[in-house]
Amino acid sequence: TPYVCYASKPNSLAIRADGRVGKCTVHLNDNRNTIGNLSLNGSVNIDKNKMDLWMRGFENNDSSTLICSAKSLPQLEKKHQHLIDVKEVG
């Protein structure tokens, strides 16, 4: 089984102490890594456009991108922010 970085996986999120949600625990100062935030009511808001940057390896099945999405992370296109509210499961 080839290696897939946790940041490339759809179900992996990094929750920062200030409530920001990211994908990578290395590129903490890169704005593209802040993909959302925790709201005061406990829900998670995800910017779909930013999440798509990290998920592109699954879209095109590119093993080098799956190994490290951050290496070739494209610039974020100027689109309207599209937030997804992730509800608590359980």
Side-chain angles (χ1 to χ4, degrees):
T1 304
Y3 174 78
V4 176
C5 176
Y6 60 87
S8 297
K9 295 178 181 179
N11 63 346
S12 179
L13 299 173
I15 309 299
R16 309 273 310 262
D18 62 1
R20 288 182 291 161
V21 176
K23 291 295 291 169
C24 179
T25 58
V26 176
H27 294 274
L28 298 175
N29 294 321
D30 189 325
N31 182 49
R32 297 167 295 177
N33 188 31
T34 301
I35 63 163
N37 67 307
L38 294 177
S39 65
L40 292 176
N41 69 6
S43 64
V44 179
N45 300 302
I46 302 292
D47 180 331
K48 182 182 178 326
N49 296 325
K50 286 186 174 183
M51 182 69 142
D52 287 348
L53 293 178
W54 294 91
M55 300 294 92
R56 69 193 187 287
F58 282 101
E59 183 177 307
N60 60 17
N61 202 27
D62 178 20
S63 61
S64 64
T65 301
L66 289 170
I67 290 170
C68 180
S69 291
K71 279 187 181 178
S72 59
L73 195 64
Q75 293 301 316
L76 186 62
E77 292 181 27
K78 301 289 184 197
K79 295 180 182 178
H80 293 290
Q81 190 177 37
H82 181 154
L83 294 178
I84 303 169
D85 183 18
V86 180
K87 302 290 184 194
E88 182 179 339
V89 178

